[in-house]
Amino acid sequence: MEWDGPGDEPGLQGPPVWREQDAKCAKDGYWFSKAHADHAESIARFVITKRGEPIELADYQRAFLRRLYGWQCPAQMAWDSLGLEGTASQLFAIRRYKAASLWCSKGNGKTPTAAMIGLEMMTLENEPQAHIEIMANTADQAKDLTFGDMKKMIKASSALNAQIMVTAESIFHPGSNSRARVLPVKESSLHGLRPFLMAYDEVHTFNKRAVYSATQRGLKKVPNSLELITSSLGTNHLLFGMQMFEADEKLWDGTIADPRRMVLAFFNDPDSSENDWKDPKLWAEMNPAWGLPWGPKEVDMRADMIRMLSDPMGESDFRVLHVGQKFRGAQAAIKPKLWKQADAAASGLAFPSISELVAARAEWFFGMDMSVRDDITAFVAIAKLPNGMYYVFPHLYTPADGISYRGAEHRVDYEAWAKAGDIKTCEGPEISSDQVVEDIAALHSRVQFTMGHGDPAYAKDPLQRLKDKFDVPVATVSQGANTYNPAAVKLQELLVTGKIIHPGNQCLNWMASNLTYSKNRRGEVTPRKGGNKGERRHKIDGMVALLMAIQASIITPSAPPFDFNASLDGMFG
């Protein structure tokens, strides 16, 4: 892992993605407070090993704690970002991060780190009546992990013992009237929840989307609250907990940006020839507490490997839980490197204006993917130059009502994207098809679309209005392989040859990372979302609309001949 930054301050160190966001945040008014970072790290003095000695924090733990609490932002900025009414005092600051995730192999101190953060939030944050809520896949598991470590730390420290009362079911701090408890894993039991800290432990086994959504609603009621995820990877990619990892992975690798969510992840690709799961060098790299007295040791890892290999599923369990190897259920349709190379904003590519493309005699096409009512609707226009270059103009829509809740459910920041102009909000609880029609008609008056395609289920009426009222040439197209296979092959060709450029729209980038393909028995593809069938969180509407626009450009009489049976190896290689 590439890790850099000032040598004297772990809270400012990190991978390139972190440092890029730090630079942007500093320009936007955020700052790093060494005093806050020191205050947070001081909680470690209460952590006692089994031998009765203070624990030696791993470098990653110091960086995680100091970054989490050291970075500050003006209270009003955070207040506005949460959509809270009223005016926050400018005289105090609050944490930059509203969410933090730590993904790494077993035995590296994830749970003690979460316990330290729980005690920090309860005793050192000066938050009156703070509710520290802890959840795992089962209540018993939660009691054994973060909650159990908090109790052990209190018991081992005379200073904490004097301040905090511990019972079998709760931890209570009389000084601030704060308490910690294990949450029941039933949605019906979570009404009225107002957590200051919502800690999810070992979420790779978590499969309770409704429960997670209920806790997210509670978090939004409390200013300066924190969502904390600590987990190793899991072997079942279909579980909701592993879908949470996939969302965090997009933040970790920079696919999407959210300066108020921190992700630290130690994992590797099992398909890479460089990552030999039996190599102790890889073990050391993927276990950040390697070499510490309490951390993983080579002799123990070898013993675990021998023991686990006697089980039929032992190899995959060892590779996932001890070596951080990530196994996917569905392969991404578009390689991130190719999509980023086509990103005008990220790659510094020239992106002509609409007027410049019209003057250059571009042909214009669009695709429309309409949602039922309250999801995301997309229309994507493309300009095709005589030299075969394609330029992408995405238009994405979502209702203003409930945007914060949907963002939390999908683990993206729709509100920030809306402020950046990457997604448009429609007033009220539903998407206005009138607004979409008016936007297409307005663009048509400037570019004169050659053809527009839409799905017959939900886009039929808007397309008919475009044809009748604005004389826009349109057609509904089937949603099967006949439409999408040639468009998918063409998109792959354009990406490989550098013949397509998109503007770096954050929402479309996210949708591109969610796109997967399913194959029929003839090897033809149709787009599908990553994750479970029917999974709402993996949005691909913009990419579906882009594929329909490309299909329109292929079948237009002026288009050059194209081999619909071209090899798909590039998409699946």
Side-chain angles (χ1 to χ4, degrees), residues 207-245:
N207 201 30
K208 296 177 173 64
R209 168 178 290 281
V211 171
Y212 174 77
S213 298
T215 59
Q216 290 293 303
R217 289 192 290 271
L219 272 170
K220 290 191 172 295
K221 300 174 185 176
V222 183
N224 208 24
S225 60
L226 177 68
E227 171 193 310
L228 176 66
I229 291 173
T230 51
S231 183
S232 52
L233 300 187
T235 55
N236 187 349
H237 72 277
L238 295 178
L239 292 181
F240 172 60
M242 282 309 295
Q243 292 162 17
M244 293 169 73
F245 167 75

mmCIF file of all heavy atoms in Angstrom, residues 207-245:
data_model
loop_
_atom_site.group_PDB
_atom_site.id
_atom_site.type_symbol
_atom_site.label_atom_id
_atom_site.label_comp_id
_atom_site.label_asym_id
_atom_site.label_seq_id
_atom_site.Cartn_x
_atom_site.Cartn_y
_atom_site.Cartn_z
ATOM 1 N N ASN A 207 -26.676 -9.219 7.295
ATOM 2 C CA ASN A 207 -27.610 -9.361 6.173
ATOM 3 C C ASN A 207 -28.972 -8.769 6.518
ATOM 4 O O ASN A 207 -29.996 -9.327 6.180
ATOM 5 C CB ASN A 207 -27.768 -10.835 5.774
ATOM 6 C CG ASN A 207 -28.294 -10.962 4.357
ATOM 7 O OD1 ASN A 207 -28.041 -10.110 3.514
ATOM 8 N ND2 ASN A 207 -29.028 -12.020 4.084
ATOM 9 N N LYS A 208 -28.945 -7.636 7.208
ATOM 10 C CA LYS A 208 -30.190 -7.030 7.674
ATOM 11 C C LYS A 208 -30.273 -5.596 7.169
ATOM 12 O O LYS A 208 -30.031 -4.627 7.886
ATOM 13 C CB LYS A 208 -30.268 -7.096 9.202
ATOM 14 C CG LYS A 208 -30.327 -8.524 9.727
ATOM 15 C CD LYS A 208 -30.322 -8.557 11.240
ATOM 16 C CE LYS A 208 -30.555 -9.979 11.751
ATOM 17 N NZ LYS A 208 -29.483 -10.886 11.369
ATOM 18 N N ARG A 209 -30.624 -5.445 5.891
ATOM 19 C CA ARG A 209 -30.687 -4.126 5.283
ATOM 20 C C ARG A 209 -31.682 -3.223 5.997
ATOM 21 O O ARG A 209 -31.397 -2.039 6.244
ATOM 22 C CB ARG A 209 -31.090 -4.246 3.807
ATOM 23 C CG ARG A 209 -31.450 -2.908 3.174
ATOM 24 C CD ARG A 209 -31.783 -3.043 1.714
ATOM 25 N NE ARG A 209 -30.600 -3.349 0.960
ATOM 26 C CZ ARG A 209 -29.701 -2.442 0.604
ATOM 27 N NH1 ARG A 209 -29.829 -1.196 0.999
ATOM 28 N NH2 ARG A 209 -28.671 -2.777 -0.107
ATOM 29 N N ALA A 210 -32.864 -3.747 6.345
ATOM 30 C CA ALA A 210 -33.886 -2.919 6.976
ATOM 31 C C ALA A 210 -33.404 -2.391 8.326
ATOM 32 O O ALA A 210 -33.673 -1.242 8.693
ATOM 33 C CB ALA A 210 -35.178 -3.711 7.151
ATOM 34 N N VAL A 211 -32.677 -3.219 9.064
ATOM 35 C CA VAL A 211 -32.146 -2.795 10.360
ATOM 36 C C VAL A 211 -31.105 -1.695 10.154
ATOM 37 O O VAL A 211 -31.087 -0.673 10.861
ATOM 38 C CB VAL A 211 -31.534 -3.993 11.109
ATOM 39 C CG1 VAL A 211 -30.785 -3.531 12.347
ATOM 40 C CG2 VAL A 211 -32.626 -4.992 11.492
ATOM 41 N N TYR A 212 -30.218 -1.876 9.177
ATOM 42 C CA TYR A 212 -29.211 -0.856 8.886
ATOM 43 C C TYR A 212 -29.879 0.460 8.508
ATOM 44 O O TYR A 212 -29.488 1.536 8.985
ATOM 45 C CB TYR A 212 -28.303 -1.332 7.759
ATOM 46 C CG TYR A 212 -27.320 -0.288 7.290
ATOM 47 C CD1 TYR A 212 -26.179 0.001 8.031
ATOM 48 C CD2 TYR A 212 -27.538 0.424 6.120
ATOM 49 C CE1 TYR A 212 -25.274 0.971 7.619
ATOM 50 C CE2 TYR A 212 -26.649 1.394 5.693
ATOM 51 C CZ TYR A 212 -25.524 1.661 6.443
ATOM 52 O OH TYR A 212 -24.644 2.626 6.025
ATOM 53 N N SER A 213 -30.897 0.411 7.663
ATOM 54 C CA SER A 213 -31.594 1.631 7.250
ATOM 55 C C SER A 213 -32.228 2.338 8.439
ATOM 56 O O SER A 213 -32.214 3.566 8.523
ATOM 57 C CB SER A 213 -32.659 1.292 6.201
ATOM 58 O OG SER A 213 -32.075 0.742 5.040
ATOM 59 N N ALA A 214 -32.780 1.561 9.371
ATOM 60 C CA ALA A 214 -33.397 2.159 10.557
ATOM 61 C C ALA A 214 -32.352 2.874 11.409
ATOM 62 O O ALA A 214 -32.605 3.972 11.931
ATOM 63 C CB ALA A 214 -34.106 1.081 11.376
ATOM 64 N N THR A 215 -31.166 2.289 11.555
ATOM 65 C CA THR A 215 -30.130 2.950 12.345
ATOM 66 C C THR A 215 -29.623 4.204 11.644
ATOM 67 O O THR A 215 -29.270 5.190 12.303
ATOM 68 C CB THR A 215 -28.953 1.997 12.618
ATOM 69 O OG1 THR A 215 -28.391 1.551 11.373
ATOM 70 C CG2 THR A 215 -29.403 0.788 13.422
ATOM 71 N N GLN A 216 -29.594 4.196 10.316
ATOM 72 C CA GLN A 216 -29.169 5.381 9.581
ATOM 73 C C GLN A 216 -30.125 6.546 9.793
ATOM 74 O O GLN A 216 -29.709 7.703 9.902
ATOM 75 C CB GLN A 216 -29.046 5.063 8.083
ATOM 76 C CG GLN A 216 -27.885 4.160 7.735
ATOM 77 C CD GLN A 216 -26.559 4.833 7.982
ATOM 78 O OE1 GLN A 216 -26.270 5.896 7.448
ATOM 79 N NE2 GLN A 216 -25.739 4.222 8.820
ATOM 80 N N ARG A 217 -31.403 6.260 9.858
ATOM 81 C CA ARG A 217 -32.377 7.328 10.135
ATOM 82 C C ARG A 217 -32.118 7.945 11.500
ATOM 83 O O ARG A 217 -32.238 9.160 11.692
ATOM 84 C CB ARG A 217 -33.800 6.776 10.048
ATOM 85 C CG ARG A 217 -34.249 6.451 8.631
ATOM 86 C CD ARG A 217 -35.748 6.184 8.578
ATOM 87 N NE ARG A 217 -36.122 4.939 9.225
ATOM 88 C CZ ARG A 217 -36.167 3.759 8.603
ATOM 89 N NH1 ARG A 217 -35.852 3.678 7.319
ATOM 90 N NH2 ARG A 217 -36.530 2.667 9.248
ATOM 91 N N GLY A 218 -31.749 7.112 12.483
ATOM 92 C CA GLY A 218 -31.444 7.625 13.805
ATOM 93 C C GLY A 218 -30.198 8.485 13.825
ATOM 94 O O GLY A 218 -30.153 9.521 14.499
ATOM 95 N N LEU A 219 -29.160 8.083 13.078
ATOM 96 C CA LEU A 219 -27.911 8.849 13.053
ATOM 97 C C LEU A 219 -28.130 10.276 12.567
ATOM 98 O O LEU A 219 -27.492 11.217 13.060
ATOM 99 C CB LEU A 219 -26.891 8.155 12.136
ATOM 100 C CG LEU A 219 -25.994 7.090 12.749
ATOM 101 C CD1 LEU A 219 -25.238 6.355 11.657
ATOM 102 C CD2 LEU A 219 -25.014 7.694 13.735
ATOM 103 N N LYS A 220 -29.031 10.447 11.616
ATOM 104 C CA LYS A 220 -29.237 11.765 11.030
ATOM 105 C C LYS A 220 -29.936 12.725 11.987
ATOM 106 O O LYS A 220 -29.996 13.924 11.720
ATOM 107 C CB LYS A 220 -30.022 11.633 9.727
ATOM 108 C CG LYS A 220 -29.201 10.977 8.636
ATOM 109 C CD LYS A 220 -29.856 11.090 7.291
ATOM 110 C CE LYS A 220 -28.906 10.600 6.213
ATOM 111 N NZ LYS A 220 -27.714 11.436 6.088
ATOM 112 N N LYS A 221 -30.470 12.219 13.086
ATOM 113 C CA LYS A 221 -31.122 13.092 14.055
ATOM 114 C C LYS A 221 -30.134 13.757 15.005
ATOM 115 O O LYS A 221 -30.508 14.671 15.737
ATOM 116 C CB LYS A 221 -32.137 12.283 14.873
ATOM 117 C CG LYS A 221 -33.247 11.642 14.054
ATOM 118 C CD LYS A 221 -34.100 10.748 14.934
ATOM 119 C CE LYS A 221 -35.148 9.995 14.139
ATOM 120 N NZ LYS A 221 -35.920 9.046 14.989
ATOM 121 N N VAL A 222 -28.876 13.279 15.027
ATOM 122 C CA VAL A 222 -27.909 13.734 16.029
ATOM 123 C C VAL A 222 -26.737 14.431 15.339
ATOM 124 O O VAL A 222 -25.956 13.784 14.630
ATOM 125 C CB VAL A 222 -27.385 12.547 16.864
ATOM 126 C CG1 VAL A 222 -26.437 13.049 17.955
ATOM 127 C CG2 VAL A 222 -28.545 11.776 17.480
ATOM 128 N N PRO A 223 -26.587 15.746 15.529
ATOM 129 C CA PRO A 223 -25.427 16.444 14.950
ATOM 130 C C PRO A 223 -24.118 15.859 15.487
ATOM 131 O O PRO A 223 -24.021 15.479 16.645
ATOM 132 C CB PRO A 223 -25.621 17.891 15.417
ATOM 133 C CG PRO A 223 -27.075 18.010 15.748
ATOM 134 C CD PRO A 223 -27.495 16.652 16.241
ATOM 135 N N ASN A 224 -23.122 15.804 14.614
ATOM 136 C CA ASN A 224 -21.788 15.313 14.973
ATOM 137 C C ASN A 224 -21.781 13.841 15.371
ATOM 138 O O ASN A 224 -20.872 13.375 16.057
ATOM 139 C CB ASN A 224 -21.177 16.146 16.108
ATOM 140 C CG ASN A 224 -19.650 16.148 16.038
ATOM 141 O OD1 ASN A 224 -19.075 15.944 14.974
ATOM 142 N ND2 ASN A 224 -19.007 16.382 17.166
ATOM 143 N N SER A 225 -22.794 13.095 14.958
ATOM 144 C CA SER A 225 -22.796 11.651 15.217
ATOM 145 C C SER A 225 -21.782 10.964 14.300
ATOM 146 O O SER A 225 -21.286 11.555 13.339
ATOM 147 C CB SER A 225 -24.194 11.070 14.991
ATOM 148 O OG SER A 225 -24.618 11.289 13.649
ATOM 149 N N LEU A 226 -21.489 9.716 14.603
ATOM 150 C CA LEU A 226 -20.467 8.978 13.861
ATOM 151 C C LEU A 226 -20.943 7.571 13.575
ATOM 152 O O LEU A 226 -21.434 6.873 14.462
ATOM 153 C CB LEU A 226 -19.161 8.918 14.658
ATOM 154 C CG LEU A 226 -18.006 8.104 14.047
ATOM 155 C CD1 LEU A 226 -17.480 8.776 12.782
ATOM 156 C CD2 LEU A 226 -16.876 7.910 15.057
ATOM 157 N N GLU A 227 -20.803 7.152 12.331
ATOM 158 C CA GLU A 227 -21.005 5.753 11.941
ATOM 159 C C GLU A 227 -19.636 5.091 11.888
ATOM 160 O O GLU A 227 -18.716 5.604 11.258
ATOM 161 C CB GLU A 227 -21.670 5.660 10.575
ATOM 162 C CG GLU A 227 -21.715 4.241 10.016
ATOM 163 C CD GLU A 227 -22.086 4.199 8.535
ATOM 164 O OE1 GLU A 227 -23.081 4.825 8.144
ATOM 165 O OE2 GLU A 227 -21.353 3.539 7.770
ATOM 166 N N LEU A 228 -19.500 3.932 12.549
ATOM 167 C CA LEU A 228 -18.230 3.223 12.588
ATOM 168 C C LEU A 228 -18.426 1.775 12.159
ATOM 169 O O LEU A 228 -19.252 1.059 12.727
ATOM 170 C CB LEU A 228 -17.638 3.262 14.003
ATOM 171 C CG LEU A 228 -16.341 2.481 14.228
ATOM 172 C CD1 LEU A 228 -15.196 3.111 13.421
ATOM 173 C CD2 LEU A 228 -15.993 2.415 15.712
ATOM 174 N N ILE A 229 -17.665 1.341 11.166
ATOM 175 C CA ILE A 229 -17.693 -0.040 10.687
ATOM 176 C C ILE A 229 -16.314 -0.646 10.911
ATOM 177 O O ILE A 229 -15.305 -0.077 10.497
ATOM 178 C CB ILE A 229 -18.060 -0.117 9.197
ATOM 179 C CG1 ILE A 229 -19.525 0.284 8.980
ATOM 180 C CG2 ILE A 229 -17.811 -1.513 8.636
ATOM 181 C CD1 ILE A 229 -19.907 0.391 7.516
ATOM 182 N N THR A 230 -16.254 -1.780 11.599
ATOM 183 C CA THR A 230 -14.999 -2.531 11.729
ATOM 184 C C THR A 230 -15.287 -3.980 11.350
ATOM 185 O O THR A 230 -16.194 -4.597 11.895
ATOM 186 C CB THR A 230 -14.449 -2.473 13.167
ATOM 187 O OG1 THR A 230 -15.469 -2.845 14.096
ATOM 188 C CG2 THR A 230 -13.981 -1.075 13.503
ATOM 189 N N SER A 231 -14.504 -4.507 10.399
ATOM 190 C CA SER A 231 -14.811 -5.855 9.927
ATOM 191 C C SER A 231 -13.643 -6.419 9.129
ATOM 192 O O SER A 231 -12.850 -5.680 8.549
ATOM 193 C CB SER A 231 -16.066 -5.829 9.041
ATOM 194 O OG SER A 231 -16.431 -7.131 8.635
ATOM 195 N N SER A 232 -13.547 -7.729 9.117
ATOM 196 C CA SER A 232 -12.720 -8.406 8.127
ATOM 197 C C SER A 232 -13.595 -8.622 6.894
ATOM 198 O O SER A 232 -14.796 -8.345 6.912
ATOM 199 C CB SER A 232 -12.209 -9.743 8.673
ATOM 200 O OG SER A 232 -13.277 -10.510 9.177
ATOM 201 N N LEU A 233 -12.995 -9.083 5.814
ATOM 202 C CA LEU A 233 -13.778 -9.407 4.621
ATOM 203 C C LEU A 233 -14.545 -10.699 4.865
ATOM 204 O O LEU A 233 -14.295 -11.431 5.821
ATOM 205 C CB LEU A 233 -12.870 -9.558 3.408
ATOM 206 C CG LEU A 233 -12.026 -8.344 3.015
ATOM 207 C CD1 LEU A 233 -11.324 -8.612 1.685
ATOM 208 C CD2 LEU A 233 -12.875 -7.095 2.910
ATOM 209 N N GLY A 234 -15.500 -10.971 4.005
ATOM 210 C CA GLY A 234 -16.295 -12.177 4.135
ATOM 211 C C GLY A 234 -16.220 -13.043 2.893
ATOM 212 O O GLY A 234 -15.724 -12.612 1.847
ATOM 213 N N THR A 235 -16.717 -14.248 3.009
ATOM 214 C CA THR A 235 -16.664 -15.192 1.890
ATOM 215 C C THR A 235 -17.951 -15.212 1.080
ATOM 216 O O THR A 235 -17.988 -15.802 0.012
ATOM 217 C CB THR A 235 -16.385 -16.618 2.406
ATOM 218 O OG1 THR A 235 -17.375 -16.959 3.390
ATOM 219 C CG2 THR A 235 -15.013 -16.695 3.039
ATOM 220 N N ASN A 236 -19.016 -14.572 1.579
ATOM 221 C CA ASN A 236 -20.296 -14.574 0.869
ATOM 222 C C ASN A 236 -20.582 -13.174 0.351
ATOM 223 O O ASN A 236 -21.044 -12.304 1.088
ATOM 224 C CB ASN A 236 -21.427 -15.039 1.794
ATOM 225 C CG ASN A 236 -22.747 -15.220 1.042
ATOM 226 O OD1 ASN A 236 -22.891 -14.815 -0.103
ATOM 227 N ND2 ASN A 236 -23.704 -15.857 1.705
ATOM 228 N N HIS A 237 -20.313 -12.940 -0.937
ATOM 229 C CA HIS A 237 -20.463 -11.600 -1.501
ATOM 230 C C HIS A 237 -21.924 -11.175 -1.608
ATOM 231 O O HIS A 237 -22.214 -9.999 -1.833
ATOM 232 C CB HIS A 237 -19.821 -11.541 -2.894
ATOM 233 C CG HIS A 237 -20.600 -12.279 -3.942
ATOM 234 N ND1 HIS A 237 -20.482 -13.642 -4.126
ATOM 235 C CD2 HIS A 237 -21.517 -11.854 -4.840
ATOM 236 C CE1 HIS A 237 -21.287 -14.014 -5.102
ATOM 237 N NE2 HIS A 237 -21.915 -12.957 -5.555
ATOM 238 N N LEU A 238 -22.864 -12.121 -1.474
ATOM 239 C CA LEU A 238 -24.283 -11.780 -1.609
ATOM 240 C C LEU A 238 -24.859 -11.162 -0.339
ATOM 241 O O LEU A 238 -25.928 -10.553 -0.384
ATOM 242 C CB LEU A 238 -25.089 -13.032 -1.984
ATOM 243 C CG LEU A 238 -24.772 -13.640 -3.350
ATOM 244 C CD1 LEU A 238 -25.598 -14.897 -3.574
ATOM 245 C CD2 LEU A 238 -25.042 -12.638 -4.469
ATOM 246 N N LEU A 239 -24.181 -11.326 0.795
ATOM 247 C CA LEU A 239 -24.693 -10.738 2.021
ATOM 248 C C LEU A 239 -24.589 -9.219 1.964
ATOM 249 O O LEU A 239 -23.670 -8.653 1.378
ATOM 250 C CB LEU A 239 -23.919 -11.264 3.228
ATOM 251 C CG LEU A 239 -24.105 -12.742 3.571
ATOM 252 C CD1 LEU A 239 -23.278 -13.101 4.804
ATOM 253 C CD2 LEU A 239 -25.572 -13.073 3.825
ATOM 254 N N PHE A 240 -25.543 -8.557 2.619
ATOM 255 C CA PHE A 240 -25.583 -7.106 2.605
ATOM 256 C C PHE A 240 -24.306 -6.502 3.174
ATOM 257 O O PHE A 240 -23.820 -5.466 2.702
ATOM 258 C CB PHE A 240 -26.807 -6.623 3.394
ATOM 259 C CG PHE A 240 -26.847 -5.138 3.598
ATOM 260 C CD1 PHE A 240 -26.874 -4.285 2.513
ATOM 261 C CD2 PHE A 240 -26.857 -4.593 4.868
ATOM 262 C CE1 PHE A 240 -26.904 -2.910 2.681
ATOM 263 C CE2 PHE A 240 -26.887 -3.220 5.056
ATOM 264 C CZ PHE A 240 -26.914 -2.379 3.956
ATOM 265 N N GLY A 241 -23.726 -7.139 4.190
ATOM 266 C CA GLY A 241 -22.499 -6.624 4.778
ATOM 267 C C GLY A 241 -21.368 -6.524 3.777
ATOM 268 O O GLY A 241 -20.585 -5.567 3.791
ATOM 269 N N MET A 242 -21.251 -7.501 2.874
ATOM 270 C CA MET A 242 -20.191 -7.438 1.874
ATOM 271 C C MET A 242 -20.511 -6.408 0.796
ATOM 272 O O MET A 242 -19.610 -5.858 0.158
ATOM 273 C CB MET A 242 -19.962 -8.818 1.252
ATOM 274 C CG MET A 242 -19.148 -9.749 2.137
ATOM 275 S SD MET A 242 -17.610 -8.977 2.727
ATOM 276 C CE MET A 242 -16.740 -8.755 1.189
ATOM 277 N N GLN A 243 -21.775 -6.109 0.589
ATOM 278 C CA GLN A 243 -22.135 -5.031 -0.319
ATOM 279 C C GLN A 243 -21.747 -3.681 0.286
ATOM 280 O O GLN A 243 -21.413 -2.735 -0.434
ATOM 281 C CB GLN A 243 -23.621 -5.090 -0.643
ATOM 282 C CG GLN A 243 -23.978 -6.316 -1.476
ATOM 283 C CD GLN A 243 -25.459 -6.639 -1.433
ATOM 284 O OE1 GLN A 243 -26.271 -5.809 -1.065
ATOM 285 N NE2 GLN A 243 -25.806 -7.855 -1.808
ATOM 286 N N MET A 244 -21.756 -3.601 1.624
ATOM 287 C CA MET A 244 -21.258 -2.398 2.283
ATOM 288 C C MET A 244 -19.763 -2.239 2.008
ATOM 289 O O MET A 244 -19.278 -1.120 1.798
ATOM 290 C CB MET A 244 -21.537 -2.471 3.782
ATOM 291 C CG MET A 244 -23.021 -2.425 4.129
ATOM 292 S SD MET A 244 -23.371 -2.837 5.855
ATOM 293 C CE MET A 244 -22.793 -1.356 6.684
ATOM 294 N N PHE A 245 -19.025 -3.355 2.003
ATOM 295 C CA PHE A 245 -17.604 -3.284 1.674
ATOM 296 C C PHE A 245 -17.411 -2.783 0.244
ATOM 297 O O PHE A 245 -16.542 -1.943 -0.027
ATOM 298 C CB PHE A 245 -16.923 -4.637 1.832
ATOM 299 C CG PHE A 245 -15.547 -4.676 1.215
ATOM 300 C CD1 PHE A 245 -14.488 -4.044 1.845
ATOM 301 C CD2 PHE A 245 -15.328 -5.293 -0.004
ATOM 302 C CE1 PHE A 245 -13.219 -4.045 1.272
ATOM 303 C CE2 PHE A 245 -14.070 -5.294 -0.586
ATOM 304 C CZ PHE A 245 -13.014 -4.668 0.058
#
